[in-house]
Amino acid sequence: MKALITGCTGQDGSYLAELLLKKGYEVHAFIRRFESTKNIAPILPQLNVHDVDLLDFPSMLAAIQSVKPDEVYHLASQSFVGSSFDSPVHTGEVTGMGTLRLLEAIRMSGVKPRIYNAATSEMYGGGENLDESTPFAPKSPYGSAKLFSYWLCRNYRESYGLYVSNGILFNHESIRRGSEFVTKRIAEGVARIKRGESNFVTLGNLTAKRDWGWAPEYVAGMVEMLKLDEPTDMVLATGEAHSVREFATEAFKAAGIPYRVLVDSSLMRPNDIQVLSGNPAKARRLIGWEPKVRFTDIVQKMVAHELE
């Protein structure tokens, strides 16, 4: 089996590449020139790397025709919600139009892979117990671009018969999370305080609640989704919502130091989501997916990694 991954150098892409290699796949990756390969450094010699950017349609088409993948995992995007307010046009080009270029390249190539598209809970715009039937109402340029990507996949599935499934994943974390994300910022900040390098962790909205899971488990769910006879759209979530304040509190507890947080209003988003949690009943029913790493375990793993 040959798999092609976009966004291979990110948190999810790196875990996915490792998993597929263990399963005996031949793994190909679209990696932009000068992109950091830190997350995939141990497995880089085992990957087939292609210098392809989501903005470059001809190179994308040529690579797909050359590789002829059995499965395509489309994870690449401008994925930080906060940055999407600062760079909405870039976010739309990469996250939205990037998906269109990929789908059109696959359609024109004549190759018939099974395609996984990384959708997001940010498309909902907030709420609890959200599932595949919940209406979408994004509150950020990132969520809007992802919703465009989601509907493109539905359209290409219905119009051209492409096997393409949308994974509507809620927040999922790991030791490889980018430093721009609040969970990583908390874990890094707590470690700096523990080492005597800082006095406080500076955060924005402490009351915002998110459904936080463990990234390697969510990546395994992506692979299982493409084993289904028919493509579909599926929520992966824990069903639990915890606030940023709770995450920070658990992080300080894990490090064994007093809670020290400063609130900086400049870190607040123009239109933030207060609560976001999902219902993974469909995933449980169709692919037997069940999150096992719980909230406190996630916090402890991230903090322990930063302390090491």
Side-chain angles (χ1 to χ4, degrees):
M1 291 285 286
K2 285 191 284 188
L4 171 62
I5 304 172
T6 75
C8 189
T9 60
Q11 170 188 259
D12 291 6
S14 60
Y15 283 120
L16 176 61
E18 290 174 355
L19 178 60
L20 293 176
L21 286 171
K22 288 178 182 177
K23 290 179 176 291
Y25 278 67
E26 178 183 311
V27 180
H28 294 255
F30 285 176
I31 299 179
R32 292 169 297 151
R33 192 170 299 173
F34 308 122
E35 186 174 356
S36 172
T37 56
K38 179 183 67 173
N39 284 334
I40 57 172
I43 61 169
L44 194 54
Q46 299 171 259
L47 301 177
N48 299 275
V49 175
H50 304 265
D51 182 8
V52 175
D53 192 297
L54 290 182
L55 304 180
D56 184 1
F57 179 81
S59 65
M60 197 182 303
L61 175 59
I64 291 168
Q65 289 175 324
S66 172
V67 174
K68 295 180 174 59
D70 299 293
E71 297 176 353
V72 173
Y73 294 88
H74 178 41
L75 312 183
S77 72
Q78 189 301 98
S79 59
F80 184 49
V81 176
S83 293
S84 76
F85 286 101
D86 298 325
S87 306
V89 175
H90 175 71
T91 300
E93 272 294 332
V94 175
T95 305
M97 291 299 295
T99 301
L100 177 57
R101 293 184 189 96
L102 179 65
L103 291 171
E104 188 63 7
I106 292 172
R107 185 184 74 84
M108 291 182 65
S109 72
V111 182
K112 300 290 185 182
R114 294 192 170 196
I115 307 161
Y116 171 88
N117 178 56
T120 173
S121 58
E122 290 286 331
M123 300 186 305
Y124 290 114
E128 299 179 83
N129 200 38
L130 306 170
D131 63 17
E132 298 78 10
S133 64
T134 306
F136 298 118
K139 290 187 176 180
S140 68
Y142 168 71
S144 301
K146 276 293 189 180
L147 185 54
F148 176 51
S149 174
Y150 167 91
W151 281 115
L152 283 170
C153 291
R154 292 279 299 260
N155 181 258
Y156 271 69
R157 184 166 76 203
E158 296 164 5
S159 300
Y160 303 115
L162 266 62
Y163 184 112
V164 53
S165 293
N166 286 297
I168 308 173
L169 273 56
F170 282 67
N171 293 61
H172 46 287
E173 315 301 314
S174 77
I175 62 174
R176 298 179 189 172
R177 197 50 145 157
S179 295
E180 68 271 24
F181 291 88
V182 68
T183 52
K184 185 74 165 183
R185 191 185 311 130
I186 291 170
E188 289 177 334
V190 166
R192 281 195 295 271
I193 294 172
K194 180 78 170 182
R195 293 193 296 266
E197 300 168 0
S198 179
N199 294 318
F200 298 95
V201 176
T202 304
L203 301 172
N205 186 355
L206 296 179
T207 61
K209 292 184 175 182
R210 293 295 183 268
D211 186 326
W212 279 304
W214 187 239
E217 294 185 329
Y218 285 57
V219 164
M222 299 176 189
V223 177
E224 293 303 312
M225 282 180 64
L226 293 195
K227 291 182 180 179
L228 294 172
D229 291 337
E230 299 294 331
T232 190
D233 307 317
M234 191 178 294
V235 165
L236 297 186
T238 70
E240 299 177 6
H242 297 273
S243 70
V244 173
R245 181 181 282 109
E246 287 178 78
F247 198 103
T249 300
E250 288 294 332
F252 279 101
K253 187 186 302 182
I257 57 177
Y259 181 86
R260 299 177 192 169
V261 171
L262 288 179
V263 175
D264 183 349
S265 60
S266 71
L267 296 176
M268 302 283 190
R269 294 171 184 168
N271 190 15
D272 204 359
I273 297 172
Q274 277 305 113
V275 183
L276 196 60
S277 68
N279 179 354
K282 183 176 179 178
R284 189 181 302 118
R285 185 177 74 253
L286 293 185
I287 61 174
W289 186 85
E290 193 83 51
K292 294 182 173 59
V293 181
R294 311 315 301 178
F295 174 71
T296 53
D297 298 324
I298 292 167
V299 181
Q300 289 167 6
K301 286 174 182 285
M302 294 183 71
V303 171
H305 175 74
E306 296 305 322
L307 290 174
E308 289 170 7

